[in-house]
Amino acid sequence: MKIRFIEPGNRPYKKTILNYFVYDRYIRTPSVGLNTLATIVKKEIPDTYMYSESISKIKYDDVLDADIIFLGIFTFAAVRGYELADFFRKNSSAKVVLGGLHASMNYEEAVQHCDYVMLGEGDETIMPLIRAIERGEEPSGKGYAYLRGDELVNTGMPEPPTDLDLIPDRDLIHNYRKMVGHMTIWPQVHASRGCPHNCDYCALVRHFGHCVRKRSPENVVEDIKYSIDFFHKGKLRLLKDLWITDDNFFADREWAIAVLNKIIDSGIKYRFNIQARYEVGFDDEMLELLKKAGFFELDMGIEFIDDDSFKTYHKKSTKTEIEESIRNIQRHGMSVRGLFILGSDNQKVGCGKELADFVIKNHIQGVLIQCMYFVPGTPVYEKNKDKLLHTRWDKYNGNAVHRPKNMTPYELQLENIDASRRIYSPKRLLQAILFEDFVHKILFIGEFFWHWSVRSDMKKELPYLKQVSQTSVMSNSDNKKLVVS
């Protein structure tokens, strides 16, 4: 059999000299999850290969004669994923399978564009599906959705896999080894899956579950070594930085400490960053180990800076606790990067400036700002789907896509643009160049131009958002007149 894996890109790769120096609209790094599935299949089916539109163009002459084509999609790339899936179904005899977070959580929609949807993570269900297709049979067991005539069949969510000790084969990804000289592609390692928390807007906990499953510390370190070698062999990279991409690396404290000690004992001399909740900022032992292991930055999912929003979306934190956590992390010699959301039902016009002031005051080194986002299958989606402006999923990448309670969509988009402009102002760029360490100089310069390009895209949406906002105001005004009369 011939198997091909495709990672669609919301903005497919385009060759340009800028790729070497600054981010495009999103980080161009291939999916670890899809690469993992390709590695599992490769062990049994030699003719297995993967294309990621984040780093290369698809070679259609290689894909169209495949027996099975797997596409993994996130919400922001769903439109492109459906476009490719429809193209492959029309122009090849391959069975087309959609999977990934968006397809799994929105399978009723996804199944219209493919032969099968894989539900859940796929590690233990992908080979049974391939064998069933090879025999010309429908798959048995849990983990699949498909159409049988006009009937939608859903066999149920499979049990999450527990044996995760597999190192993804990066060489399975077309042009990956060639592209790692680009400064905007980072080595990544995913060490665990799942999160015990229950934030309403988080799709990951709905996809991976509350039970945190871990790779062995030894396996994690081997993957780190392999990834570092993959990125540096024959390449000159100005920055040494590997991203641990776990949703909640610190959920199992004993395991996290074991992993950090393994990194320290291995003698690896590298720079790491990792996603974290604010609680780790109060764990001095953990912070000391992180620093000793080579971690220079924690990417903190702060989301909001007002306590009312934390309560509304069931995120257990407060602004005071977050600020204290940030200060303690900085005292241990590490920086903090902030991940933020604008457009909660508790926020009002001016929230962009408040966010920028918070970032600058607390010396947060970099930010990702998104308007409130909605992934099908999450509580926040179900609660707000009547407020959504559209389901053009390619716009669910930071833009305003709903009607907030205390702002118009147009005002929300302006708040996002304003926050980005204040944080990444020419004045702050000069300050970073003059006073930050080498790593943060480079990062800030790259992010300055990245945010500039993101704002440029967001401004293109303003005419549409202004129109729908005015329509909403007029509609509300008419309703009030009807009530009065």
Side-chain angles (χ1 to χ4, degrees):
M1 293 192 80
K2 180 175 182 179
I3 311 293
R4 291 296 179 264
F5 288 82
I6 308 290
E7 181 187 13
N10 186 3
R11 192 183 296 268
Y13 171 80
K14 183 172 67 174
K15 190 173 183 179
T16 166
I17 193 67
L18 293 177
N19 289 333
Y20 285 93
F21 306 109
V22 298
Y23 295 134
D24 200 333
R25 269 62 169 182
Y26 59 96
I27 297 173
R28 291 194 171 277
T29 298
S31 165
V32 174
L34 198 63
N35 189 197
T36 298
L37 294 181
T39 304
I40 291 171
V41 173
K42 175 72 173 181
K43 287 185 175 183
E44 297 196 36
I45 301 175
D47 195 357
T48 298
Y49 201 52
M50 174 177 164
Y51 293 89
S52 172
E53 285 196 304
S54 67
I55 59 168
S56 71
K57 293 183 178 180
I58 298 169
K59 294 179 68 175
Y60 289 97
D61 58 346
D62 176 52
V63 177
L64 289 174
D65 65 345
D67 296 295
I68 307 175
I69 302 170
F70 290 92
L71 298 99
I73 56 174
F74 288 99
T75 296
F76 71 92
V79 171
R80 175 61 175 167
Y82 294 155
E83 176 186 304
L84 287 172
D86 292 341
F87 173 82
F88 291 135
R89 293 184 88 187
K90 181 179 179 180
N91 294 281
S92 80
S93 60
K95 292 295 183 181
V96 176
V97 182
L98 282 168
L101 190 148
H102 183 86
S104 179
M105 296 180 68
N106 200 21
Y107 64 88
E108 299 98 330
E109 175 188 271
V111 77
Q112 307 300 323
H113 301 273
C114 62
D115 296 289
Y116 298 99
V117 173
M118 286 185 59
L119 307 174
E121 297 172 46
D123 302 53
E124 296 173 353
T125 56
I126 191 166
M127 285 309 305
L129 175 61
I130 291 173
R131 295 308 180 200
I133 292 173
E134 190 176 27
R135 294 191 300 268
E137 301 173 356
E138 291 184 351
S140 60
K142 294 183 177 181
Y144 316 103
Y146 53 94
L147 293 175
R148 184 189 294 147
D150 293 330
E151 177 191 3
L152 174 59
V153 178
N154 178 352
T155 67
M157 286 292 288
E159 290 296 316
T162 55
D163 182 6
L164 306 181
D165 276 6
L166 178 75
I167 296 176
D169 182 357
R170 277 83 168 172
D171 279 311
L172 283 178
I173 305 174
H174 182 65
N175 273 358
Y176 195 12
R177 189 176 285 275
K178 172 184 174 183
M179 298 296 288
V180 295
H182 292 54
M183 293 298 109
T184 56
I185 302 177
W186 294 2
Q188 296 182 91
V189 169
H190 205 76
S192 67
R193 303 180 196 173
C195 177
H197 299 284
N198 203 36
C199 302
D200 283 358
Y201 45 81
C202 183
L204 295 171
V205 72
R206 273 84 204 173
H207 185 67
F208 291 113
H210 292 284
C211 179
V212 179
R213 293 153 289 127
K214 294 91 58 181
R215 296 166 68 180
S216 68
E218 295 81 7
N219 186 255
V220 173
V221 170
E222 285 305 308
D223 198 357
I224 289 172
K225 288 179 178 178
Y226 165 51
S227 187
I228 292 172
D229 180 72
F230 184 86
F231 266 72
H232 285 274
K233 195 170 185 178
K235 302 292 182 181
L236 175 63
R237 290 181 61 86
L238 293 176
L239 296 181
K240 294 182 176 181
D241 183 14
L242 185 146
W243 183 18
I244 305 291
T245 59
D246 296 34
D247 308 313
N248 196 334
F249 177 85
F250 305 99
D252 185 328
R253 186 176 185 275
E254 184 177 343
W255 171 83
I257 287 175
V259 173
L260 294 176
N261 278 321
K262 278 290 180 184
I263 293 173
I264 293 168
D265 294 343
S266 72
I268 296 172
K269 300 299 180 185
Y270 209 71
R271 188 181 292 110
F272 303 94
N273 68 311
I274 192 167
Q275 297 180 165
R277 281 177 57 93
Y278 79 95
E279 292 95 337
V280 73
F282 299 113
D283 190 336
D284 290 328
E285 180 186 1
M286 189 75 75
L287 294 176
E288 289 170 7
L289 283 173
L290 284 165
K291 180 64 177 176
K292 189 174 181 180
F295 287 78
F296 81 104
E297 186 170 84
L298 273 61
D299 303 337
M300 189 181 294
I302 299 171
E303 274 85 56
F304 310 109
I305 57 171
D306 62 289
D307 292 349
D308 288 339
S309 292
F310 290 134
K311 293 175 184 176
T312 297
Y313 299 98
H314 301 106
K315 184 174 176 67
K316 297 179 180 179
S317 54
T318 68
K319 180 180 179 180
T320 298
E321 289 173 329
I322 287 170
E323 289 185 314
E324 291 174 355
S325 170
I326 291 170
R327 284 193 290 272
N328 199 38
I329 292 168
Q330 291 168 342
R331 279 195 291 268
H332 281 80
M334 291 176 286
S335 59
V336 172
R337 179 171 301 272
L339 314 178
F340 296 98
I341 299 172
L342 290 175
S344 82
D345 281 346
N346 307 92
Q347 294 173 330
K348 299 178 182 179
V349 171
C351 61
K353 181 179 183 303
E354 291 173 2
L355 173 57
D357 291 344
F358 177 88
V359 168
I360 294 169
K361 171 192 170 187
N362 289 287
H363 196 57
I364 294 174
Q365 293 282 9
V367 300
L368 173 65
I369 310 169
Q370 292 186 310
C371 294
M372 195 73 196
Y373 58 90
F374 305 88
V375 178
T378 60
V380 74
Y381 177 85
E382 295 302 320
K383 183 179 178 181
N384 292 277
K385 57 185 176 184
D386 292 339
K387 301 177 184 177
L388 297 179
L389 304 177
H390 54 74
T391 53
R392 289 153 45 210
W393 302 122
D394 56 324
K395 301 300 181 183
Y396 282 54
N397 59 352
N399 289 291
V401 296
H402 84 300
R403 294 181 173 87
K405 185 177 180 180
N406 297 312
M407 289 179 280
T408 66
Y410 176 73
E411 289 170 334
L412 173 56
Q413 190 88 337
L414 287 176
E415 293 299 322
N416 193 331
I417 292 169
D418 183 53
S420 170
R421 186 167 47 216
R422 290 174 183 272
I423 295 167
Y424 290 95
S425 66
K427 177 182 176 182
R428 297 198 73 235
L429 173 63
L430 180 60
Q431 290 173 338
I433 292 172
L434 292 176
F435 302 114
E436 293 291 352
D437 60 75
F438 174 75
V439 172
H440 286 104
K441 286 185 202 296
I442 300 298
L443 288 175
F444 197 96
I445 291 170
E447 289 169 20
F448 177 89
F449 290 104
W450 177 53
H451 272 262
W452 177 84
S453 68
V454 170
R455 291 197 302 271
S456 177
D457 275 359
M458 295 189 78
K459 289 174 184 177
K460 294 174 184 176
E461 291 295 302
L462 287 174
Y464 162 75
L465 292 170
K466 189 172 186 177
Q467 181 183 13
V468 297
S469 297
Q470 289 172 340
T471 302
S472 177
V473 170
M474 290 173 64
S475 176
N476 289 337
S477 177
D478 290 341
N479 288 336
K480 288 178 183 178
K481 288 177 183 178
L482 287 172
V483 171
V484 171
S485 62

